[in-house]
Amino acid sequence: MRLDSFHTFAVSALAAAPDVQSAQPWDRGAEHLRGVHVTLVTGAQFWIGLTSAAAPGDKWVGEETPVEGDRPAEVPFPELFDSSKKASLARTSCYFAAAVINSGNAQIASAYAFSSGRGFGVVFHDEAKGFARFHHNGRAGQGLGGQPFNSLQEAV
């Protein structure tokens, strides 16, 4: 799956998760390619940058040829919020990876949370990979602030 398709897919898969209020494309400006702005039902927000690695032999020239395979088995959504209704980076990474797995997309081979708790990855049946890294997060009503990655709050 190429970057444009991954972007479209990520927006729809995250928007469909039960504890997500909305997922919208995030315009990261001229020097960046793709992003998603996710708002949780509590109002907490995550701005996620997307990148991808091409499938072996794919030069991203011409039409994309989707490769489908067995869909991953659905997994239970992990608990997103702690007792104070905050979502940590680690919990959110696991939750968003589950949203991708549970999307039902036949191009998805697997998805996983980053061990750093700062995003998630996707492996496609064509052996391409997608990477979703948290750039910013914030509480309800809070906007972007600070430098990407350095301003991440452990829980929002």
Side-chain angles (χ1 to χ4, degrees):
M1 184 179 280
R2 293 180 181 169
L3 183 58
D4 285 340
S5 298
F6 176 45
H7 182 242
T8 301
F9 162 72
V11 170
S12 65
L14 295 176
D19 290 321
V20 171
Q21 179 178 312
S22 68
Q24 303 292 327
W26 170 38
D27 180 0
R28 297 174 55 205
E31 72 277 2
H32 297 290
L33 296 175
R34 307 284 181 277
V36 182
H37 175 217
V38 178
T39 303
L40 305 178
V41 294
T42 59
Q45 303 169 84
F46 287 82
W47 287 267
I48 306 166
L50 301 179
T51 59
S52 64
D58 186 356
K59 304 291 185 210
W60 288 8
V61 175
E63 280 192 43
E64 180 176 4
T65 304
V67 175
E68 296 185 346
D70 292 336
R71 291 174 174 88
E74 282 201 19
V75 297
F77 278 96
E79 198 64 39
L80 179 56
F81 304 111
D82 63 18
S83 59
S84 62
K85 292 292 187 196
K86 290 193 174 194
S88 71
L89 295 172
R91 284 176 183 244
T92 305
S93 295
C94 292
Y95 188 89
F96 288 169
V100 167
I101 290 169
N102 294 342
S103 71
N105 187 313
Q107 292 184 62
I108 305 300
S110 64
Y112 57 93
F114 291 163
S115 60
S116 67
R118 294 175 175 248
F120 61 93
V122 183
V123 179
F124 302 98
H125 283 295
D126 66 359
E127 298 182 42
K129 294 176 176 67
F131 307 100
R133 186 161 179 209
F134 300 158
H135 284 228
H136 304 275
N137 63 355
R139 295 178 303 279
Q142 200 174 17
L144 287 172
Q147 293 295 317
F149 317 117
N150 295 333
S151 63
L152 284 170
Q153 301 167 60
E154 183 53 40
V156 291

